[in-house]
Amino acid sequence: QVQLVESGGGLVQAGGSLRLSCAASGSIFSMNAMGWYRQAPGKQRELVARIFRSGFTTYADSMKGRCTISRDNAKNTVYLQMNSLKPEDTAVYYCNVNMQGGLGTFDLWGQGTQVTVSS
């Protein structure tokens, strides 16, 4: 069973950068995709970026050109490099693993890491 541990959040000024890390402690043999979601107060949780098993990546429109998702298979770790951060990027960022089960897909979630961007 997979357990996800996020790190790398913190407080930065607008225009700054952060790199988030998510380490999977168990097997991700059946992983379809890994990604990052975020949820700000009063808003729905939204997708930030995903990387599929093939290596194909997708990004939210608001993040295009400002972030890069990558994966280190040897370390079972996914990263999210965020640059040119804006106050509206402030949110709790959650690591997600989408797994293939016998009856369909299901999601595993980390506990979240706070990202706060000041103006």
Side-chain angles (χ1 to χ4, degrees):
Q1 190 171 3
V2 176
Q3 185 176 35
L4 306 177
V5 180
E6 303 111 325
S7 62
L11 174 64
V12 298
Q13 292 183 335
S17 299
L18 284 174
R19 190 182 74 161
L20 307 182
S21 299
C22 175
S25 63
S27 174
I28 54 172
F29 180 79
S30 299
M31 179 267 292
N32 293 317
M34 299 183 70
W36 290 92
Y37 292 70
R38 67 185 181 188
Q39 187 166 24
K43 298 186 66 177
Q44 293 184 331
R45 187 172 298 186
E46 63 177 352
L47 174 69
V48 178
R50 298 184 84 184
I51 182 166
F52 292 86
R53 191 168 188 170
S54 64
F56 183 80
T57 58
T58 61
Y59 298 94
D61 288 340
S62 62
M63 279 294 194
K64 287 183 177 178
R66 299 195 295 121
C67 73
T68 301
I69 188 169
S70 60
R71 183 177 63 222
D72 186 334
N73 291 330
K75 297 181 179 180
N76 270 0
T77 301
V78 64
Y79 305 95
L80 183 68
Q81 178 69 46
M82 300 188 292
N83 305 309
S84 301
L85 287 166
K86 305 174 181 179
E88 50 263 44
D89 294 320
T90 296
V92 177
Y93 284 69
Y94 296 92
C95 181
N96 166 266
V97 177
N98 183 257
M99 304 286 288
Q100 182 66 53
L103 299 177
T105 62
F106 63 95
D107 292 290
L108 301 173
W109 297 92
Q111 294 184 2
T113 184
Q114 177 71 48
V115 171
T116 302
V117 184
S118 65
S119 59

